[in-house]
Amino acid sequence: MTHNQFDNKSQAWSALFSEPMSDLVKRYTASVFFDKRLWRADIAGSLAHAEMLCAQNIISPEDHEAIKQGLNAVAAEIEAGKFEWKLDLEDVHLNIEARLTQMAGDAGKRLHTGRSRNDQVATDVRLWLRGEIDLIGELLRDLQIALLDVADRNLDVILPGFTHLQVAQPISFGHHLLAYVEMFSRDSERMSEVRRRTNRLPLGAAALAGTSYPLDRERVARSLGMVDDHGQAQICQNSLDAVSDRDFAVEFAAAAALCMVHISRLSEELVLWMSQNFSFIKIADRFTTGSSIMPQKKNPDVPELARGKAGRVVGHLMGLITLMKGQPLAYNKDNQEDKEPLFDTVDTLKDTLRIFAEMIGGQANPANGLIEGGISVNAKAMERAASLGYATATDLADYLVKKGVPFRDAHETVAHAVKTAISRQIELSELPLEIMQQFNPLIEADVFNVLSLRGSLQSRDVTGGTAPHQVQLQIASHRARLE
Ligand code: ARG
């Protein structure tokens, strides 16, 4: 057995340990098989730290050069899949540092000057998450554009709007989709706010109390792009807090969970709309699956699965926030448990956003630029559904109010009209004028304009309302925002 510090964990710490760690404990405490995915952030953080150590005359230019070359060589090895990750070296940080030291000798051993794995890991997770938040921002944008494209094509398509899943009032399908654009635009805002608090530098906090070396933390922050909109370096101001809190991860998980909940609500609607009882939409075949026993089936597995995955991401939020509860200052090993839920949250959210943008908006065919796939809308079925269920009853009440009837009385009058229509098994617009005039003599022939679905839609011409003209304005302002 060698006593090389990189092969034997009991020697990795110091001579203090009289026996090696048991294999079970090694496996239990190691994180390398999941945290290796932080390698780019780890190397970026080390390069910035080494550059600053040299600028501050804490290490020599020769050592800095050797570290730089060594880390670039390590990065190349990892990139090429040639790096050998070792469980014995516990985590991504020790694995990379050990390989660097094999390549760069004593210079490699000087890299850890004025630094601890505690501030190192906090920096790595923040850097990595910042990059993922940026990718999520782009995916959220793609999804909003897909929804806007479909909304644009379906401004004048009418479907029943529901409350309590009972037919309530007719709405434009474009308007319905814009509700989700609003939700995803707020998700995107939340992600930007989380990014701002994530993009702060823990390095320099060292193990917990700061360090006695004359570090230039601003310099490191600037070289890692941890700056605000005015280029001001963003630095964690308390060393104990810097190494120990993971509130940025909790906030991110909360924003991600909320976004998945929005996806889940949309999924529920897609599933309903696809069922034969609605037949409002079709989803391109490549997003559906068949049944092994019932040959006629086409199942909306993607939205169903997304609805299920929303639960999983909410679970990660619970895991992460509970992880922090009861941790005394400063760093505790509990924090190593932040990674798997965070990684899975990012993966699940990104995959879901990507697949939804394509499932809803379709995809450009590279051969001819034409959009293929996406949801297709059965306008007839939607309109038929809106014309059943007395969806324009409120319009009749509003009609009476405009003729001077107090709203509560108008409401009561319309209830009688609906009751009569139900007993005759006809729609409100099919009630003869003479019958309606029995409910209220103020009713005249122009009532049929307001009882039509299009008339009802057109009349809701208020900001945020469902009149196609308003929907058009909203689409334009969303497009301008997303440009
Ligand atoms: N793998 C550890 C983590 O993820 C790195 C920090 C370990 N620090 C320590 N003192 N054990 O949190």
Side-chain angles (χ1 to χ4, degrees), residues 4-47:
N4 179 314
Q5 65 172 324
F6 302 116
D7 293 337
N8 185 322
K9 184 65 180 294
S10 70
Q11 297 293 310
W13 312 128
S14 67
L16 186 66
F17 291 77
S18 57
E19 59 173 3
M21 196 185 264
S22 91
D23 279 343
L24 185 57
V25 173
K26 248 188 227 171
R27 260 187 290 127
Y28 193 70
T29 56
S31 55
V32 63
F33 290 111
F34 52 85
D35 70 12
K36 64 181 178 191
R37 99 183 242 177
L38 296 173
W39 70 268
R40 278 179 209 280
D42 194 72
I43 288 178
S46 289
L47 285 169

Side-chain angles (χ1 to χ4, degrees), residues 457-477:
L457 221 62
Q458 230 91 47
S459 71
R460 288 178 163 70
D461 198 1
V462 59
T463 305
T466 194
H469 163 68
Q470 289 294 337
V471 180
Q472 222 158 12
L473 291 178
Q474 292 292 331
I475 291 176
S477 90

Side-chain angles (χ1 to χ4, degrees), residues 31 35 90-91 93 117-118 121 246 331 333 335-336 339:
S31 55
D35 70 12
E90 192 180 316
D91 58 23
H93 325 292
R117 275 187 303 155
N118 297 350
V121 69
R246 296 291 183 268
Y331 176 87
K333 186 77 168 183
N335 280 344
Q336 183 166 291
K339 295 180 189 60

Side-chain angles (χ1 to χ4, degrees), residues 206-280:
L208 75 162
T211 175
S212 57
Y213 298 95
L215 303 188
D216 181 349
R217 298 186 65 201
E218 270 79 13
R219 186 183 182 104
V220 178
R222 276 194 301 273
S223 67
L224 290 174
M226 288 177 149
V227 293
D228 67 10
D229 293 343
H230 313 289
Q232 201 68 32
Q234 298 296 296
I235 287 172
C236 299
Q237 295 292 328
N238 179 289
S239 58
L240 301 167
D241 175 52
V243 291
S244 65
D245 205 0
R246 296 291 183 268
D247 59 357
F248 63 93
V250 175
E251 268 193 80
F252 169 77
L258 207 39
C259 182
M260 284 299 293
V261 165
H262 291 152
I263 289 270
S264 182
R265 296 185 69 190
L266 175 56
S267 298
E268 173 64 9
E269 303 215 275
L270 295 174
V271 170
L272 282 175
W273 292 342
M274 251 187 89
S275 93
Q276 287 80 355
N277 304 296
F278 280 77
S279 294
F280 284 4

Side-chain angles (χ1 to χ4, degrees), residues 30 104 127 156 177 182 225 228 231 285 372 416 424 476:
L127 279 177
D156 296 313
L177 294 178
E182 292 282 329
D228 67 10
D285 278 358
E372 292 173 356
H416 286 297
R424 297 181 171 212

Side-chain angles (χ1 to χ4, degrees), residues 5 8 16 78 86 92 99 117 165 180 192 225-226 232 292 298 361 365 407 420 423 425 471-472:
Q5 65 172 324
N8 185 322
L16 186 66
I78 301 174
K86 293 185 183 146
V92 60
R99 183 74 185 112
R117 275 187 303 155
L165 205 58
Y180 287 101
S192 312
M226 288 177 149
Q232 201 68 32
S292 54
K298 243 183 223 174
N365 180 339
F407 183 77
T420 305
S423 72
Q425 298 190 326
V471 180
Q472 222 158 12

